[in-house]
Amino acid sequence: EIRFTTDGSAPGAASTLYTSPLTISGTAVLRAAAFKAGWQPSVPNTRTYLFPDQVVVQNNTPAGYPSSWNAIAADYAMEDNAVDLAAILGQPAGTPLTVLRQQVKQALLALPAISIVTDRASLFDSATGIYTNPSGRGDLWEKPCSAELIPRPGSSEAGFQINGGIQVMGLTSRNLTVNARLPLRVIFSRKFGPPSLHYPLYPGNPVTRFDSIALRNNTRDNWGYDPGSGIYIRDQWCREALAAMHQPAGSGRYVHLFLNGIYWGIYNPSER
C-alpha cells in the first residue's frame, strides 16, 4: 500500500490510502511511503509544489497553524499594504497592488527555493515545537524533516530532496521579538536519513559533501532588526570578497525558504 499526507507529517499506516492519481492544483506538500504487512515501511518521499500566484497573496491564517508562537503574534502573511509594498519595491506611491504583486511574483522566480517539510507540531507545538521554543538546544530540539532544493525556472541546476533534521541555530538571533524569521540549520545524519548531502550546493565551490546547511536569516543586517540600514548582503559580500582575494572563505547563496509550503522569506544558506 502507498499512503500519503498533505499536512507535512510523515505518512503512517493510518494515513490516506493512495488509490488513483492526484491532481495538484495549488501550493501543496505531498509525502508518501509504502507499507506492507510484515515489512518495515519505506522511507517517506516528499515533493513540494509551489504556485507563485498563490504565494503572493499568502494570508496570515493558514489552516491548522497557530495564531501565536508562545505569546508572540504569528506572522505568515505576505505584505499586502500597497504603500509599504511600493516602498519596498522602489515603485512610485499609488502603484496598484496588482502591479506590485506581479513584481513580487517575478522576484519569487528569480531565486531557487528550499522547502522544509515537517510535522506542524515539530515547528509550532507550544511545548515541543522548535519555533515556539527557539532557545531549546540539544537532541530534543532537532526534528525530522524533508529538505528540497527547487531550482528557479530555466536553471540547469538539478535540485535535490533529502531527509534530515531541522533545528534553530544562533544566539541572540533566536529571539522572536528581535526577528520573527529565525535562523535554522538542516542536519544530515543517520538519525534522520543519509549521513551527508552530496550535491554541488554552491556554484564554483569544489566541496560537494555537507553534514549541515546553515539557513541564515542575516539577523543584524535586515529590516526587522535594523529598519534604517539593513541591506541583507554584508556577510555574503564579505565572503565573496575574501574568496576573490584568494583568502579562506565560506560559500553562500540566496534562496526563497518555504516551511510546509508557507513562504518564509529570503534566506542565505551558507557553509558552516
Side-chain angles (χ1 to χ4, degrees):
E1 294 178 340
I2 296 174
R3 293 186 177 270
F4 67 92
T5 64
T6 56
D7 63 357
S9 62
S15 298
T16 304
L17 178 66
Y18 173 81
T19 57
S20 61
L22 305 175
T23 298
I24 304 296
S25 57
T27 293
V29 291
L30 181 63
R31 309 192 76 182
F35 296 83
K36 185 176 181 178
W39 293 63
Q40 291 286 342
S42 73
V43 173
N45 204 335
T46 306
R47 290 295 183 272
T48 301
Y49 300 88
L50 302 172
F51 289 68
D53 285 328
Q54 295 182 2
V55 176
V56 296
V57 295
Q58 180 175 294
N59 63 43
N60 207 37
T61 56
Y65 286 83
S67 59
S68 64
W69 304 328
N70 278 2
I72 303 296
D75 183 6
Y76 306 103
M78 293 290 274
E79 178 62 68
D80 63 355
N81 181 295
V83 174
D84 291 342
L85 194 54
I88 291 168
L89 296 172
Q91 296 298 326
T95 302
L97 183 59
T98 53
V99 174
L100 297 171
R101 281 176 168 165
Q102 278 300 113
Q103 189 173 342
V104 174
K105 177 182 174 180
Q106 292 307 309
L108 288 170
L109 301 174
L111 291 173
I114 285 183
S115 171
I116 302 297
V117 179
T118 185
D119 192 289
R120 293 175 192 168
S122 294
L123 294 171
F124 299 117
D125 182 85
S126 60
T128 61
I130 61 172
Y131 220 90
T132 44
N133 299 275
S135 61
R137 300 171 185 267
D139 290 350
L140 289 176
W141 301 99
E142 297 174 357
K143 306 295 184 177
C145 75
S146 162
E148 295 169 80
L149 177 72
I150 303 171
R152 63 177 177 80
S155 169
S156 61
E157 188 169 17
F160 64 79
Q161 186 276 324
I162 186 172
N163 292 330
I166 188 76
Q167 64 178 197
V168 177
M169 71 174 192
L171 188 61
T172 56
S173 53
R174 292 171 176 263
N175 189 341
L176 282 168
T177 61
V178 172
N179 194 334
R181 296 186 311 110
L182 296 175
L184 301 166
R185 181 182 296 127
V186 183
I187 306 157
F188 306 109
S189 73
R190 295 189 188 280
K191 175 180 176 182
F192 302 111
S196 301
L197 169 68
H198 293 267
Y199 184 81
L201 185 59
Y202 303 107
N205 186 334
V207 176
T208 58
R209 184 184 67 82
F210 301 94
D211 298 328
S212 67
I213 302 171
L215 297 173
R216 302 183 65 254
N217 66 347
N218 295 352
T219 295
R220 298 183 183 278
D221 188 26
N222 67 39
W223 292 345
Y225 182 85
D226 188 354
S229 60
I231 59 173
Y232 215 66
I233 64 171
R234 288 188 177 99
D235 280 37
Q236 183 62 27
W237 186 91
C238 288
R239 283 192 291 268
E240 293 186 17
L242 283 166
M245 294 186 288
H246 305 290
Q247 299 299 313
S251 291
R253 63 189 298 186
Y254 290 99
V255 301
H256 293 294
L257 182 69
F258 290 80
L259 298 183
N260 285 1
I262 300 173
Y263 183 64
W264 221 251
I266 296 177
Y267 273 65
N268 179 210
S270 307
E271 285 185 292
R272 188 180 178 201

